[in-house]
Amino acid sequence: MSHLNCKLLVGITYRIYLVNSGHLRTGVSLLLAARFAEGERATTGVQQARIYAEMLGLNFAYATNGHTIIEIDYLTGQETEIDQFPKPEEIWQRLTAANTFTETTAKTWIEPFNLTSGKTPRYYQHIAINRVVESILSGKHRVLITMATGTGKTFVAFQICWKLWKSRWNRSGEFRRPKILYLADRNILVDDPMAKMLAPFEDVRHKISSSDVSQGRDMYFSIYQSLSSPATDVFKEYPADFFDIIIIDECHRGSSREDNSWRAILTYFSPAVQLGMTATPLRDESRDTYNYFGNPIYTYSLRRHRGWFSRPLPCP
């Protein structure tokens, strides 16, 4: 575990530091420490440490004046005065125990991001990626994230896929790469990610069509119309348990609707983890989406996005 080289000066009294798991590209940030002047009580920093820790989706926060240390543990909900900062190994042990991670699942969780594009996940993208991966590793089969248009859902999906694929996660626990399907209702929503954002998957990519139902790749792309039509159900050319995870972009517009004929695709591939992505909050017209996937594990609104970028960032 090592310190990130980022800090925020708030007034002149303290700094905030992030610490993560040792692989700076993982985005698995664990704790935040607010350091106050010696003349102030350590409790002075608790609320500020909480605010930033919750913004950044961290598991531990600390407030100290150099003598007294107060720990806020979000895993247990406890706030405790401690004698010294816990060692990195202790933090990691507490975290993996709380998430019931095995050595194998922990490897997936800390798998580094793919940064070949030069783009680094923003703080809210870190949170979305980590929460989805944590949900998958804990055995959840339907997952929903709600993120405003323009906040990088495709980038989030890419990093999730990369972490799962690179670490060889799959539903059966076999030593193999997962089979992933990226699904949407329009060609532009699959062609553009396939050609650009998900290009690092290189020759394991394949776009499914009625004339090509190859089963020898890992990263598949398709629109509903290619998988199901009045003439034939192409999706049935694949075993029901073929895919390990299905990413459904703009899920409020398609198969999550109860009265939509495309629902049969998700029903057929029900053994797969299904990740729905939408920019549409809960409304009457999107209620089926939320009924199908459940409540979002992470929501990031446009209002919050604009509000965040109107103030100094605690960390890039």
Side-chain angles (χ1 to χ4, degrees):
M1 194 179 295
S2 58
H3 289 74
L4 287 172
N5 294 319
C6 62
K7 57 192 176 184
L8 171 69
L9 295 178
V10 181
I12 57 173
T13 53
Y14 63 93
R15 294 176 179 178
I16 291 177
Y17 299 87
L18 294 178
V19 179
N20 84 4
S21 65
H23 298 285
L24 299 187
R25 294 185 297 164
T26 63
V28 182
S29 299
L30 305 181
L31 65 86
L32 170 152
R35 172 72 160 86
F36 281 73
E38 290 190 19
E40 298 186 37
R41 298 174 60 185
T43 52
T44 305
V46 169
Q47 186 57 32
Q48 195 69 41
R50 281 184 176 275
I51 289 171
Y52 282 108
E54 289 166 16
M55 277 186 180
L56 296 168
L58 304 181
N59 298 284
F60 304 96
Y62 297 86
T64 181
N65 58 7
H67 301 286
T68 303
I69 304 170
I70 298 174
E71 177 185 75
I72 304 105
D73 183 342
Y74 284 93
L75 300 176
T76 63
Q78 296 181 337
E79 182 178 309
T80 311
E81 184 175 319
I82 57 177
D83 295 328
Q84 60 184 7
F85 286 106
K87 295 180 179 179
E89 295 77 12
E90 180 187 344
I91 289 288
W92 183 246
Q93 184 178 34
R94 289 163 64 183
L95 188 69
T96 53
N99 286 284
T100 62
F101 286 160
T102 64
E103 184 177 346
T104 301
T105 54
K107 178 184 175 184
T108 297
W109 192 57
I110 65 171
E111 180 66 39
F113 292 136
N114 183 306
L115 303 181
T116 54
S117 68
K119 183 178 180 181
T120 302
R122 294 181 180 271
Y123 89 95
Y124 60 89
Q125 294 168 336
H126 277 249
I127 299 172
I129 295 163
N130 288 338
R131 288 194 183 172
V132 169
V133 172
E134 287 167 12
S135 295
I136 292 171
L137 295 179
S138 66
K140 191 167 184 178
H141 277 80
R142 293 183 187 174
V143 182
L144 178 67
I145 55 173
T146 303
M147 296 178 66
T149 300
T151 59
K153 290 191 297 297
T154 305
F155 181 67
V156 167
F158 164 57
Q159 296 296 349
I160 291 167
C161 292
W162 185 263
K163 286 168 76 74
L164 298 176
W165 184 79
K166 195 70 175 176
S167 65
R168 295 180 180 269
W169 169 88
N170 57 75
R171 291 180 300 103
S172 59
E174 300 170 335
F175 186 72
R176 63 172 176 84
R177 306 283 189 190
K179 300 290 188 182
I180 304 169
L181 173 62
Y182 195 100
L183 181 64
D185 66 338
R186 290 183 292 166
N187 276 308
I188 187 64
L189 294 178
V190 296
D191 291 346
D192 192 69
M194 180 178 178
K196 298 176 182 176
M197 189 70 72
L198 283 83
F201 282 100
E202 298 180 340
D203 59 0
V204 303
R205 293 169 295 163
H206 174 70
K207 187 176 181 184
I208 300 171
S209 67
S210 58
S211 60
D212 190 349
V213 290
S214 170
Q215 298 185 16
R217 308 293 181 87
D218 294 337
M219 187 78 218
Y220 295 80
F221 299 81
S222 187
I223 57 173
Y224 300 108
Q225 297 91 325
S226 294
L227 292 176
S228 181
S229 69
T232 181
D233 285 332
V234 173
F235 67 89
K236 291 184 179 179
E237 295 291 324
Y238 294 87
D241 62 353
F242 182 79
F243 295 109
D244 293 287
I245 179 170
I246 301 175
I247 313 291
I248 305 112
D249 196 9
E250 302 293 354
C251 61
H252 64 283
R253 285 210 303 257
S255 51
S256 63
R257 289 178 52 187
E258 190 170 2
D259 60 351
N260 195 302
S261 61
W262 294 336
R263 172 70 75 88
I265 297 171
L266 294 190
T267 301
Y268 180 78
F269 290 123
S270 60
V273 173
Q274 298 178 5
L275 167 61
M277 302 191 301
T278 182
T280 304
L282 178 60
R283 299 172 184 153
D284 286 343
E285 62 269 25
S286 64
R287 191 166 299 279
D288 280 348
T289 300
Y290 288 78
N291 287 340
Y292 183 80
F293 287 101
N295 291 327
I297 60 168
Y298 185 62
T299 298
Y300 188 71
S301 66
L302 190 59
R303 176 180 297 181
R304 183 177 174 190
H305 185 66
R306 288 171 174 167
W308 177 261
F309 285 107
S310 68
R311 70 187 74 173
L313 297 178
C315 182

